[in-house]
mmCIF file with all atom_site columns, all heavy atoms in Angstrom:
data_model
loop_
_atom_site.group_PDB
_atom_site.id
_atom_site.type_symbol
_atom_site.label_atom_id
_atom_site.label_alt_id
_atom_site.label_comp_id
_atom_site.label_asym_id
_atom_site.label_entity_id
_atom_site.label_seq_id
_atom_site.pdbx_PDB_ins_code
_atom_site.Cartn_x
_atom_site.Cartn_y
_atom_site.Cartn_z
_atom_site.occupancy
_atom_site.B_iso_or_equiv
_atom_site.pdbx_formal_charge
_atom_site.auth_seq_id
_atom_site.auth_comp_id
_atom_site.auth_asym_id
_atom_site.auth_atom_id
_atom_site.pdbx_PDB_model_num
ATOM 1   N N   . ASP A 1 198 ? -94.961  20.800 204.585 1.00 97.00 ? 198 ASP A N   1
ATOM 2   C CA  . ASP A 1 198 ? -96.101  20.416 203.736 1.00 97.00 ? 198 ASP A CA  1
ATOM 3   C C   . ASP A 1 198 ? -97.410  20.980 204.275 1.00 97.00 ? 198 ASP A C   1
ATOM 4   O O   . ASP A 1 198 ? -97.949  20.477 205.255 1.00 97.00 ? 198 ASP A O   1
ATOM 5   C CB  . ASP A 1 198 ? -96.181  18.890 203.677 1.00 97.00 ? 198 ASP A CB  1
ATOM 6   C CG  . ASP A 1 198 ? -97.212  18.400 202.677 1.00 97.00 ? 198 ASP A CG  1
ATOM 7   O OD1 . ASP A 1 198 ? -98.000  19.225 202.168 1.00 97.00 ? 198 ASP A OD1 1
ATOM 8   O OD2 . ASP A 1 198 ? -97.228  17.196 202.404 1.00 97.00 ? 198 ASP A OD2 1
ATOM 9   N N   . PRO A 1 199 ? -97.970  22.024 203.653 1.00 97.00 ? 199 PRO A N   1
ATOM 10  C CA  . PRO A 1 199 ? -99.210  22.635 204.159 1.00 97.00 ? 199 PRO A CA  1
ATOM 11  C C   . PRO A 1 199 ? -100.383 21.663 204.202 1.00 97.00 ? 199 PRO A C   1
ATOM 12  O O   . PRO A 1 199 ? -101.295 21.816 205.016 1.00 97.00 ? 199 PRO A O   1
ATOM 13  C CB  . PRO A 1 199 ? -99.491  23.770 203.162 1.00 97.00 ? 199 PRO A CB  1
ATOM 14  C CG  . PRO A 1 199 ? -98.197  24.022 202.485 1.00 97.00 ? 199 PRO A CG  1
ATOM 15  C CD  . PRO A 1 199 ? -97.471  22.715 202.460 1.00 97.00 ? 199 PRO A CD  1
ATOM 16  N N   . GLY A 1 200 ? -100.364 20.664 203.322 1.00 95.00 ? 200 GLY A N   1
ATOM 17  C CA  . GLY A 1 200 ? -101.454 19.696 203.317 1.00 95.00 ? 200 GLY A CA  1
ATOM 18  C C   . GLY A 1 200 ? -101.539 18.874 204.588 1.00 95.00 ? 200 GLY A C   1
ATOM 19  O O   . GLY A 1 200 ? -102.582 18.280 204.887 1.00 95.00 ? 200 GLY A O   1
ATOM 20  N N   . GLN A 1 201 ? -100.446 18.838 205.351 1.00 94.00 ? 201 GLN A N   1
ATOM 21  C CA  . GLN A 1 201 ? -100.429 18.074 206.601 1.00 94.00 ? 201 GLN A CA  1
ATOM 22  C C   . GLN A 1 201 ? -100.802 18.913 207.817 1.00 94.00 ? 201 GLN A C   1
ATOM 23  O O   . GLN A 1 201 ? -100.955 18.382 208.915 1.00 94.00 ? 201 GLN A O   1
ATOM 24  C CB  . GLN A 1 201 ? -99.025  17.474 206.821 1.00 94.00 ? 201 GLN A CB  1
ATOM 25  C CG  . GLN A 1 201 ? -98.499  16.656 205.662 1.00 94.00 ? 201 GLN A CG  1
ATOM 26  C CD  . GLN A 1 201 ? -99.443  15.560 205.237 1.00 94.00 ? 201 GLN A CD  1
ATOM 27  O OE1 . GLN A 1 201 ? -99.920  14.787 206.065 1.00 94.00 ? 201 GLN A OE1 1
ATOM 28  N NE2 . GLN A 1 201 ? -99.736  15.487 203.947 1.00 94.00 ? 201 GLN A NE2 1
ATOM 29  N N   . PHE A 1 202 ? -100.960 20.213 207.634 1.00 97.00 ? 202 PHE A N   1
ATOM 30  C CA  . PHE A 1 202 ? -101.207 21.091 208.775 1.00 97.00 ? 202 PHE A CA  1
ATOM 31  C C   . PHE A 1 202 ? -102.624 20.935 209.316 1.00 97.00 ? 202 PHE A C   1
ATOM 32  O O   . PHE A 1 202 ? -103.573 20.706 208.552 1.00 97.00 ? 202 PHE A O   1
ATOM 33  C CB  . PHE A 1 202 ? -101.018 22.561 208.393 1.00 97.00 ? 202 PHE A CB  1
ATOM 34  C CG  . PHE A 1 202 ? -99.628  22.938 207.968 1.00 97.00 ? 202 PHE A CG  1
ATOM 35  C CD1 . PHE A 1 202 ? -99.400  24.132 207.307 1.00 97.00 ? 202 PHE A CD1 1
ATOM 36  C CD2 . PHE A 1 202 ? -98.544  22.118 208.235 1.00 97.00 ? 202 PHE A CD2 1
ATOM 37  C CE1 . PHE A 1 202 ? -98.131  24.496 206.899 1.00 97.00 ? 202 PHE A CE1 1
ATOM 38  C CE2 . PHE A 1 202 ? -97.259  22.474 207.840 1.00 97.00 ? 202 PHE A CE2 1
ATOM 39  C CZ  . PHE A 1 202 ? -97.062  23.670 207.170 1.00 97.00 ? 202 PHE A CZ  1
ATOM 40  N N   . THR A 1 203 ? -102.752 21.118 210.609 1.00 95.00 ? 203 THR A N   1
ATOM 41  C CA  . THR A 1 203 ? -104.057 21.268 211.251 1.00 95.00 ? 203 THR A CA  1
ATOM 42  C C   . THR A 1 203 ? -104.239 22.749 211.570 1.00 95.00 ? 203 THR A C   1
ATOM 43  O O   . THR A 1 203 ? -103.424 23.345 212.278 1.00 95.00 ? 203 THR A O   1
ATOM 44  C CB  . THR A 1 203 ? -104.135 20.448 212.547 1.00 95.00 ? 203 THR A CB  1
ATOM 45  O OG1 . THR A 1 203 ? -103.969 19.066 212.232 1.00 95.00 ? 203 THR A OG1 1
ATOM 46  C CG2 . THR A 1 203 ? -105.485 20.655 213.237 1.00 95.00 ? 203 THR A CG2 1
ATOM 47  N N   . PHE A 1 204 ? -105.277 23.332 211.009 1.00 96.00 ? 204 PHE A N   1
ATOM 48  C CA  . PHE A 1 204 ? -105.554 24.757 211.232 1.00 96.00 ? 204 PHE A CA  1
ATOM 49  C C   . PHE A 1 204 ? -106.705 24.891 212.224 1.00 96.00 ? 204 PHE A C   1
ATOM 50  O O   . PHE A 1 204 ? -107.739 24.235 212.092 1.00 96.00 ? 204 PHE A O   1
ATOM 51  C CB  . PHE A 1 204 ? -105.952 25.439 209.922 1.00 96.00 ? 204 PHE A CB  1
ATOM 52  C CG  . PHE A 1 204 ? -104.853 25.529 208.902 1.00 96.00 ? 204 PHE A CG  1
ATOM 53  C CD1 . PHE A 1 204 ? -104.710 24.553 207.931 1.00 96.00 ? 204 PHE A CD1 1
ATOM 54  C CD2 . PHE A 1 204 ? -103.961 26.591 208.921 1.00 96.00 ? 204 PHE A CD2 1
ATOM 55  C CE1 . PHE A 1 204 ? -103.712 24.626 206.977 1.00 96.00 ? 204 PHE A CE1 1
ATOM 56  C CE2 . PHE A 1 204 ? -102.943 26.677 207.978 1.00 96.00 ? 204 PHE A CE2 1
ATOM 57  C CZ  . PHE A 1 204 ? -102.823 25.691 206.998 1.00 96.00 ? 204 PHE A CZ  1
ATOM 58  N N   . ASN A 1 205 ? -106.516 25.767 213.201 1.00 92.00 ? 205 ASN A N   1
ATOM 59  C CA  . ASN A 1 205 ? -107.599 26.080 214.135 1.00 92.00 ? 205 ASN A CA  1
ATOM 60  C C   . ASN A 1 205 ? -108.408 27.283 213.665 1.00 92.00 ? 205 ASN A C   1
ATOM 61  O O   . ASN A 1 205 ? -109.541 27.483 214.104 1.00 92.00 ? 205 ASN A O   1
ATOM 62  C CB  . ASN A 1 205 ? -107.027 26.353 215.526 1.00 92.00 ? 205 ASN A CB  1
ATOM 63  C CG  . ASN A 1 205 ? -106.373 25.118 216.121 1.00 92.00 ? 205 ASN A CG  1
ATOM 64  O OD1 . ASN A 1 205 ? -106.893 24.012 215.996 1.00 92.00 ? 205 ASN A OD1 1
ATOM 65  N ND2 . ASN A 1 205 ? -105.216 25.296 216.748 1.00 92.00 ? 205 ASN A ND2 1
ATOM 66  N N   . SER A 1 206 ? -107.820 28.082 212.795 1.00 95.00 ? 206 SER A N   1
ATOM 67  C CA  . SER A 1 206 ? -108.517 29.229 212.219 1.00 95.00 ? 206 SER A CA  1
ATOM 68  C C   . SER A 1 206 ? -107.856 29.556 210.888 1.00 95.00 ? 206 SER A C   1
ATOM 69  O O   . SER A 1 206 ? -106.708 29.157 210.632 1.00 95.00 ? 206 SER A O   1
ATOM 70  C CB  . SER A 1 206 ? -108.473 30.440 213.151 1.00 95.00 ? 206 SER A CB  1
ATOM 71  O OG  . SER A 1 206 ? -107.141 30.835 213.407 1.00 95.00 ? 206 SER A OG  1
ATOM 72  N N   . PHE A 1 207 ? -108.587 30.286 210.061 1.00 98.00 ? 207 PHE A N   1
ATOM 73  C CA  . PHE A 1 207 ? -108.071 30.642 208.737 1.00 98.00 ? 207 PHE A CA  1
ATOM 74  C C   . PHE A 1 207 ? -108.842 31.865 208.268 1.00 98.00 ? 207 PHE A C   1
ATOM 75  O O   . PHE A 1 207 ? -110.046 31.991 208.524 1.00 98.00 ? 207 PHE A O   1
ATOM 76  C CB  . PHE A 1 207 ? -108.280 29.494 207.741 1.00 98.00 ? 207 PHE A CB  1
ATOM 77  C CG  . PHE A 1 207 ? -107.244 29.419 206.655 1.00 98.00 ? 207 PHE A CG  1
ATOM 78  C CD1 . PHE A 1 207 ? -106.087 28.695 206.831 1.00 98.00 ? 207 PHE A CD1 1
ATOM 79  C CD2 . PHE A 1 207 ? -107.424 30.097 205.446 1.00 98.00 ? 207 PHE A CD2 1
ATOM 80  C CE1 . PHE A 1 207 ? -105.117 28.615 205.839 1.00 98.00 ? 207 PHE A CE1 1
ATOM 81  C CE2 . PHE A 1 207 ? -106.472 30.036 204.457 1.00 98.00 ? 207 PHE A CE2 1
ATOM 82  C CZ  . PHE A 1 207 ? -105.305 29.291 204.644 1.00 98.00 ? 207 PHE A CZ  1
ATOM 83  N N   . PRO A 1 208 ? -108.175 32.791 207.568 1.00 98.00 ? 208 PRO A N   1
ATOM 84  C CA  . PRO A 1 208 ? -108.892 33.968 207.065 1.00 98.00 ? 208 PRO A CA  1
ATOM 85  C C   . PRO A 1 208 ? -109.776 33.594 205.883 1.00 98.00 ? 208 PRO A C   1
ATOM 86  O O   . PRO A 1 208 ? -109.657 32.478 205.332 1.00 98.00 ? 208 PRO A O   1
ATOM 87  C CB  . PRO A 1 208 ? -107.762 34.903 206.632 1.00 98.00 ? 208 PRO A CB  1
ATOM 88  C CG  . PRO A 1 208 ? -106.645 33.990 206.267 1.00 98.00 ? 208 PRO A CG  1
ATOM 89  C CD  . PRO A 1 208 ? -106.739 32.839 207.234 1.00 98.00 ? 208 PRO A CD  1
ATOM 90  N N   . PRO A 1 209 ? -110.672 34.468 205.467 1.00 98.00 ? 209 PRO A N   1
ATOM 91  C CA  . PRO A 1 209 ? -111.434 34.232 204.239 1.00 98.00 ? 209 PRO A CA  1
ATOM 92  C C   . PRO A 1 209 ? -110.488 33.863 203.097 1.00 98.00 ? 209 PRO A C   1
ATOM 93  O O   . PRO A 1 209 ? -109.410 34.449 202.961 1.00 98.00 ? 209 PRO A O   1
ATOM 94  C CB  . PRO A 1 209 ? -112.129 35.568 203.998 1.00 98.00 ? 209 PRO A CB  1
ATOM 95  C CG  . PRO A 1 209 ? -112.302 36.132 205.369 1.00 98.00 ? 209 PRO A CG  1
ATOM 96  C CD  . PRO A 1 209 ? -111.069 35.735 206.120 1.00 98.00 ? 209 PRO A CD  1
ATOM 97  N N   . LEU A 1 210 ? -110.898 32.884 202.299 1.00 98.00 ? 210 LEU A N   1
ATOM 98  C CA  . LEU A 1 210 ? -110.003 32.308 201.290 1.00 98.00 ? 210 LEU A CA  1
ATOM 99  C C   . LEU A 1 210 ? -110.699 32.193 199.944 1.00 98.00 ? 210 LEU A C   1
ATOM 100 O O   . LEU A 1 210 ? -111.849 31.755 199.861 1.00 98.00 ? 210 LEU A O   1
ATOM 101 C CB  . LEU A 1 210 ? -109.555 30.919 201.760 1.00 98.00 ? 210 LEU A CB  1
ATOM 102 C CG  . LEU A 1 210 ? -108.766 30.060 200.768 1.00 98.00 ? 210 LEU A CG  1
ATOM 103 C CD1 . LEU A 1 210 ? -107.418 30.693 200.435 1.00 98.00 ? 210 LEU A CD1 1
ATOM 104 C CD2 . LEU A 1 210 ? -108.572 28.649 201.334 1.00 98.00 ? 210 LEU A CD2 1
ATOM 105 N N   . LEU A 1 211 ? -109.974 32.567 198.899 1.00 98.00 ? 211 LEU A N   1
ATOM 106 C CA  . LEU A 1 211 ? -110.413 32.364 197.518 1.00 98.00 ? 211 LEU A CA  1
ATOM 107 C C   . LEU A 1 211 ? -109.344 31.542 196.802 1.00 98.00 ? 211 LEU A C   1
ATOM 108 O O   . LEU A 1 211 ? -108.174 31.913 196.789 1.00 98.00 ? 211 LEU A O   1
ATOM 109 C CB  . LEU A 1 211 ? -110.599 33.701 196.799 1.00 98.00 ? 211 LEU A CB  1
ATOM 110 C CG  . LEU A 1 211 ? -110.884 33.631 195.288 1.00 98.00 ? 211 LEU A CG  1
ATOM 111 C CD1 . LEU A 1 211 ? -112.219 32.941 195.017 1.00 98.00 ? 211 LEU A CD1 1
ATOM 112 C CD2 . LEU A 1 211 ? -110.857 35.027 194.661 1.00 98.00 ? 211 LEU A CD2 1
ATOM 113 N N   . ILE A 1 212 ? -109.761 30.418 196.213 1.00 99.00 ? 212 ILE A N   1
ATOM 114 C CA  . ILE A 1 212 ? -108.858 29.564 195.451 1.00 99.00 ? 212 ILE A CA  1
ATOM 115 C C   . ILE A 1 212 ? -109.326 29.539 194.000 1.00 99.00 ? 212 ILE A C   1
ATOM 116 O O   . ILE A 1 212 ? -110.501 29.299 193.719 1.00 99.00 ? 212 ILE A O   1
ATOM 117 C CB  . ILE A 1 212 ? -108.833 28.124 195.998 1.00 99.00 ? 212 ILE A CB  1
ATOM 118 C CG1 . ILE A 1 212 ? -108.391 28.104 197.470 1.00 99.00 ? 212 ILE A CG1 1
ATOM 119 C CG2 . ILE A 1 212 ? -107.908 27.253 195.160 1.00 99.00 ? 212 ILE A CG2 1
ATOM 120 C CD1 . ILE A 1 212 ? -108.445 26.716 198.099 1.00 99.00 ? 212 ILE A CD1 1
ATOM 121 N N   . LEU A 1 213 ? -108.397 29.777 193.070 1.00 98.00 ? 213 LEU A N   1
ATOM 122 C CA  . LEU A 1 213 ? -108.679 29.712 191.644 1.00 98.00 ? 213 LEU A CA  1
ATOM 123 C C   . LEU A 1 213 ? -107.793 28.633 191.038 1.00 98.00 ? 213 LEU A C   1
ATOM 124 O O   . LEU A 1 213 ? -106.582 28.599 191.288 1.00 98.00 ? 213 LEU A O   1
ATOM 125 C CB  . LEU A 1 213 ? -108.388 31.054 190.965 1.00 98.00 ? 213 LEU A CB  1
ATOM 126 C CG  . LEU A 1 213 ? -109.045 32.295 191.571 1.00 98.00 ? 213 LEU A CG  1
ATOM 127 C CD1 . LEU A 1 213 ? -108.638 33.544 190.789 1.00 98.00 ? 213 LEU A CD1 1
ATOM 128 C CD2 . LEU A 1 213 ? -110.563 32.164 191.584 1.00 98.00 ? 213 LEU A CD2 1
ATOM 129 N N   . VAL A 1 214 ? -108.385 27.752 190.215 1.00 98.00 ? 214 VAL A N   1
ATOM 130 C CA  . VAL A 1 214 ? -107.619 26.643 189.658 1.00 98.00 ? 214 VAL A CA  1
ATOM 131 C C   . VAL A 1 214 ? -108.154 26.272 188.282 1.00 98.00 ? 214 VAL A C   1
ATOM 132 O O   . VAL A 1 214 ? -109.351 26.384 188.021 1.00 98.00 ? 214 VAL A O   1
ATOM 133 C CB  . VAL A 1 214 ? -107.659 25.415 190.612 1.00 98.00 ? 214 VAL A CB  1
ATOM 134 C CG1 . VAL A 1 214 ? -109.073 24.873 190.764 1.00 98.00 ? 214 VAL A CG1 1
ATOM 135 C CG2 . VAL A 1 214 ? -106.692 24.332 190.171 1.00 98.00 ? 214 VAL A CG2 1
ATOM 136 N N   . GLY A 1 215 ? -107.263 25.844 187.393 1.00 98.00 ? 215 GLY A N   1
ATOM 137 C CA  . GLY A 1 215 ? -107.662 25.375 186.077 1.00 98.00 ? 215 GLY A CA  1
ATOM 138 C C   . GLY A 1 215 ? -108.022 23.897 186.111 1.00 98.00 ? 215 GLY A C   1
ATOM 139 O O   . GLY A 1 215 ? -107.474 23.131 186.903 1.00 98.00 ? 215 GLY A O   1
ATOM 140 N N   . THR A 1 216 ? -108.915 23.492 185.227 1.00 98.00 ? 216 THR A N   1
ATOM 141 C CA  . THR A 1 216 ? -109.342 22.089 185.213 1.00 98.00 ? 216 THR A CA  1
ATOM 142 C C   . THR A 1 216 ? -108.286 21.167 184.612 1.00 98.00 ? 216 THR A C   1
ATOM 143 O O   . THR A 1 216 ? -108.382 19.950 184.767 1.00 98.00 ? 216 THR A O   1
ATOM 144 C CB  . THR A 1 216 ? -110.655 21.923 184.430 1.00 98.00 ? 216 THR A CB  1
ATOM 145 O OG1 . THR A 1 216 ? -110.462 22.350 183.074 1.00 98.00 ? 216 THR A OG1 1
ATOM 146 C CG2 . THR A 1 216 ? -111.787 22.716 185.069 1.00 98.00 ? 216 THR A CG2 1
ATOM 147 N N   . ASN A 1 217 ? -107.278 21.707 183.924 1.00 98.00 ? 217 ASN A N   1
ATOM 148 C CA  . ASN A 1 217 ? -106.269 20.877 183.271 1.00 98.00 ? 217 ASN A CA  1
ATOM 149 C C   . ASN A 1 217 ? -104.979 20.765 184.076 1.00 98.00 ? 217 ASN A C   1
ATOM 150 O O   . ASN A 1 217 ? -103.930 20.459 183.517 1.00 98.00 ? 217 ASN A O   1
ATOM 151 C CB  . ASN A 1 217 ? -105.944 21.441 181.884 1.00 98.00 ? 217 ASN A CB  1
ATOM 152 C CG  . ASN A 1 217 ? -107.087 21.282 180.905 1.00 98.00 ? 217 ASN A CG  1
ATOM 153 O OD1 . ASN A 1 217 ? -108.168 20.847 181.268 1.00 98.00 ? 217 ASN A OD1 1
ATOM 154 N ND2 . ASN A 1 217 ? -106.858 21.631 179.660 1.00 98.00 ? 217 ASN A ND2 1
ATOM 155 N N   . GLU A 1 218 ? -105.067 20.956 185.376 1.00 98.00 ? 218 GLU A N   1
ATOM 156 C CA  . GLU A 1 218 ? -103.875 20.940 186.224 1.00 98.00 ? 218 GLU A CA  1
ATOM 157 C C   . GLU A 1 218 ? -103.728 19.635 186.998 1.00 98.00 ? 218 GLU A C   1
ATOM 158 O O   . GLU A 1 218 ? -104.704 19.137 187.572 1.00 98.00 ? 218 GLU A O   1
ATOM 159 C CB  . GLU A 1 218 ? -103.937 22.081 187.245 1.00 98.00 ? 218 GLU A CB  1
ATOM 160 C CG  . GLU A 1 218 ? -104.046 23.473 186.661 1.00 98.00 ? 218 GLU A CG  1
ATOM 161 C CD  . GLU A 1 218 ? -103.809 24.540 187.703 1.00 98.00 ? 218 GLU A CD  1
ATOM 162 O OE1 . GLU A 1 218 ? -102.850 24.380 188.491 1.00 98.00 ? 218 GLU A OE1 1
ATOM 163 O OE2 . GLU A 1 218 ? -104.559 25.516 187.737 1.00 98.00 ? 218 GLU A OE2 1
#
Side-chain angles (χ1 to χ4, degrees):
D198 188 350
Q201 306 306 310
F202 297 165
T203 298
F204 293 93
N205 295 319
S206 60
F207 210 89
L210 172 65
L211 172 64
I212 301 176
L213 307 179
V214 64
T216 60
N217 291 6
E218 301 192 44

